[in-house]
Amino acid sequence: MTATDSTRELADLQAFSADPYTTVQRLYRENGAISTLGAGPMRFRVALGTEVCAFVLANSDLFSWEAAFTALAPLTGRSALLVNDGDRHRRLRRLVTPAFTVRRVDDHRGTVTRCIENAMAGWAPGDVVDVYPALRRAMRLATLESLFGVAAMERSEGLDDWLHDIHRAIDADVVGGSIERGSGSPVWRRALLARSSVHRWVIAEIERRGAQHEPGDDVLGVLLRGVNGTRLTDDEITDQLVSLLEAGAETTAAQLSWMLYCTLRDRRLWTEITAAVTDRGADEPGPPGLDHLVSETMRLYPATAIISRKVAGGFTLAGQQFVPGDLLIFSPFHTHRLDSVWPDPERFDPRRWDPDSERYHRPAPYEFLPFGVGPHRCIGAHFATMAIKSAFAAIARRIDGELLTADVCPEGLIGMHPKGGITVRIDEKR
C-alpha cells in the first residue's frame, strides 16, 4: 500500500464517520463493491452491492456476530442475542421467540395506540410540533409497558435517560472501536453507569414478578414462564429486555417519524391513507396501503443503516481476499437505494409494493433488509411492524397537519432518525 493509498483511506474514514450515507454512495461509484477505510485497529472494508449482500447472508458461517460486537457486551449484556453466535445464540433465541409470535405481539396493539394518543392529547390546531421527540417518548413508554406491564410504569422514573445514554454509546460504536472506551470517554462512562442502573431496575422487576402467583402475559411474564420447563436465567432475561427496550423503541420511533415525513410531503398520498385508515375501526386490520407505506419507509430509511461482521473463515469476495479477524461493513441503506434494483430509488413510492401496480417489485431477500435475514434476523420484527402501523393509524385518525420541515437528513446508524426533528403544524384535531 502506497502513502497515497493510506492518505485516501484515512480521508475516507473521516468522511464515513461524518456522513456514512453519502459516503457509501460515493465509495460504490468510485471503487465498486469493496473499499478499504482507516488504518491500524480502525481499518475495515466496506462491501456494497447486491452481490455482497447475497454472499454475506448466504454464508453466515463465515462471519461472527460475537466477535464483531463483543466490545459492546458491557452495554448490551453478555447474553444479548446481538453478541452471541452458535449453540448459545440458538438456545437464547428459542427461549425468547415465544414472546414475539404474531398472536402475542397483536395483544400489545392497544398499548401502542393508547401511548400515541396520550402523546397527541396536548396538541391543538395551530400548534407547531416537533413530532420526533414526542413519538420517541410515546414508543418508549409503549415498549416499556409491553415488556414489563402497566404496573412497572409507575416505577420507571429515570429509565428513559439511562436508555438514551446507552443508545448514544452503542450508536457511536456500531462499527466496533469508533469511540474511546474507559474512563477517558464521557460517553462510554455515562453509558456504563446507565447500564448498571437499568440492570438493577430490571432485576427488581423480576423479583417482584417472582412473588406473584402468575408471571403475567407481558414479555417478561412469557420469558419467566419459559419453554417446556426451561427458562432463561435472571441475568439472561435482563440482557434480552434491556436490548429490546433500548433498540426497539429507538428504531420504531425513528421509522414512524420517517413515515409521517414521507406521507405528509405528498398531500394526495396523505389524504388517501388517512381516509382508508379512518374508514376502519381501531381494532380492525389496517388497509393494504398501510403495509405498502411501511415497506417503502423501511426501504428508504432502514432502522440500521450499516451492519458490521467479523470474518471467521477465509474467503474471496468481489476479487478480494478476506481472512479471519477482518472487519467487514455492509449497508442496507445503500442496497435499498440501488437503481439497478429500485427504479427511481430516491423517490418515496409505496406503489412499488402493490402487486396490482405496474411498478411492483418483489425483492429478493438480499435486496430488502429492514430486519436482516437468517439466524440473526431481528427477533422483534413482528412487534416493530405492528407498532409502526398501529401508531401511524392512531395519528392519521386524530390529526391533520402541514409539514413545515422542507428537507431532513438522516442521523444515527442504529435507529436512523431525522436530524433536527420533523416539524408539523397541527391544522385539525379530530
Side-chain angles (χ1 to χ4, degrees):
M1 180 175 65
T2 67
T4 300
D5 291 335
S6 179
T7 300
R8 184 182 65 252
E9 290 171 5
L10 287 171
D12 285 340
L13 174 60
Q14 291 178 330
F16 182 84
S17 299
D19 181 3
Y21 318 105
T22 58
T23 300
V24 292
Q25 310 280 34
R26 175 180 61 81
L27 292 173
Y28 189 65
R29 289 194 307 269
E30 294 177 355
N31 305 328
I34 309 293
S35 297
T36 302
L37 279 67
M42 275 304 297
R43 191 168 189 262
F44 58 91
R45 277 180 277 187
V46 177
L48 302 168
T50 54
E51 176 191 355
V52 164
C53 290
F55 180 88
V56 172
L57 298 177
N59 295 277
S60 59
D61 58 312
L62 295 178
F63 300 92
S64 170
W65 278 61
E66 184 173 359
F69 295 107
T70 187
L72 297 180
L75 298 182
T76 63
R78 302 280 174 192
S79 302
L81 289 171
L82 178 68
V83 296
N84 279 277
D85 283 314
D87 290 342
R88 190 182 191 198
H89 177 267
R90 284 187 284 273
R91 171 185 167 273
L92 292 169
R93 193 174 183 93
R94 178 176 63 84
L95 295 174
V96 174
T97 295
F100 293 97
T101 63
V102 173
R103 181 184 65 80
R104 287 201 177 274
V105 161
D106 198 59
D107 291 340
H108 303 297
R109 187 183 305 276
T111 298
V112 174
T113 300
R114 174 167 37 81
C115 289
I116 292 295
E117 289 179 344
N118 289 342
M120 296 186 292
W123 298 356
D127 286 352
V128 175
V129 180
D130 180 356
V131 298
Y132 173 63
L135 297 179
R136 178 183 175 275
R137 170 70 174 164
M139 296 306 287
R140 178 81 76 193
L141 292 173
T143 306
L144 175 65
E145 184 175 332
S146 297
L147 294 180
F148 295 98
V150 66
M153 306 295 286
E154 299 176 359
R155 300 184 290 269
S156 64
E157 183 178 357
L159 194 62
D160 193 61
D161 290 336
W162 297 332
L163 292 166
H164 176 72
D165 289 339
I166 295 170
H167 179 79
R168 183 183 175 197
I170 291 176
D171 196 37
D173 207 31
V174 71
V175 299
S178 62
I179 65 173
E180 181 184 359
R181 305 185 185 95
S183 60
S185 167
V187 171
W188 191 255
R189 186 168 63 250
R190 284 176 63 88
L192 290 175
L193 290 172
R195 180 58 168 79
S196 178
S197 297
V198 175
H199 180 88
R200 289 195 299 272
W201 187 90
V202 176
I203 288 294
E205 291 301 314
I206 292 174
E207 291 173 351
R208 287 188 183 93
R209 196 64 62 88
Q212 299 176 7
H213 179 66
E214 285 291 331
D217 293 325
D218 49 37
V219 173
L220 174 57
V222 176
L223 296 183
L224 286 171
R225 195 172 289 111
V227 177
N228 297 326
T230 301
R231 78 164 179 88
L232 301 169
T233 68
D234 287 358
D235 281 343
E236 288 173 340
I237 290 176
T238 300
D239 290 349
Q240 310 315 316
L241 293 175
V242 170
S243 297
L244 291 164
L245 186 56
E246 186 278 321
E250 292 288 344
T251 56
T252 51
Q255 293 195 306
L256 173 60
S257 299
W258 286 121
M259 190 167 164
L260 280 172
Y261 171 71
C262 292
T263 50
L264 283 169
R265 291 181 79 185
D266 185 335
R267 196 66 201 176
R268 179 194 58 79
L269 179 60
W270 172 256
T271 301
E272 287 178 358
I273 193 61
T274 53
V277 166
T278 304
D279 285 344
R280 297 182 180 227
D283 296 330
E284 295 182 67
L290 190 56
D291 292 312
H292 306 156
L293 284 175
V294 172
S295 295
E296 184 67 348
T297 300
M298 291 181 175
R299 182 188 70 83
L300 275 177
Y301 301 102
T304 302
I306 66 169
I307 300 174
S308 60
R309 294 282 192 275
K310 271 289 180 71
V311 175
F315 59 85
T316 301
L317 176 61
Q320 293 204 25
Q321 293 286 330
F322 288 79
V323 299
D326 284 349
L327 180 64
L328 179 148
I329 303 291
F330 65 106
S331 172
F333 179 87
H334 175 263
T335 301
H336 291 182
R337 294 172 182 244
L338 284 170
D339 56 14
S340 60
V341 177
W342 309 97
D344 198 5
E346 300 294 330
R347 179 182 179 185
F348 185 79
D349 183 6
R351 285 176 293 179
R352 66 175 92 236
W353 300 95
D354 182 356
D356 294 328
S357 171
E358 71 281 1
R359 299 182 184 179
Y360 176 66
H361 169 65
R362 183 176 182 177
Y366 54 84
E367 294 174 339
F368 184 54
L369 308 162
F371 299 111
V373 295
H376 281 90
R377 186 178 188 271
C378 175
I379 202 164
H382 292 317
F383 183 90
T385 302
M386 176 279 296
I388 294 167
K389 290 168 61 177
S390 299
F392 183 89
I395 295 168
R397 289 190 187 98
R398 293 297 304 276
I399 69 164
D400 192 9
E402 180 183 352
L403 182 69
L404 301 182
T405 304
D407 293 298
V408 181
C409 296
E411 182 178 48
L413 300 175
I414 298 178
M416 184 177 67
H417 58 271
K419 184 177 183 180
I422 295 173
T423 306
V424 175
R425 184 179 62 233
I426 307 301
D427 292 336
E428 180 184 352
K429 190 79 176 288
R430 295 185 279 266

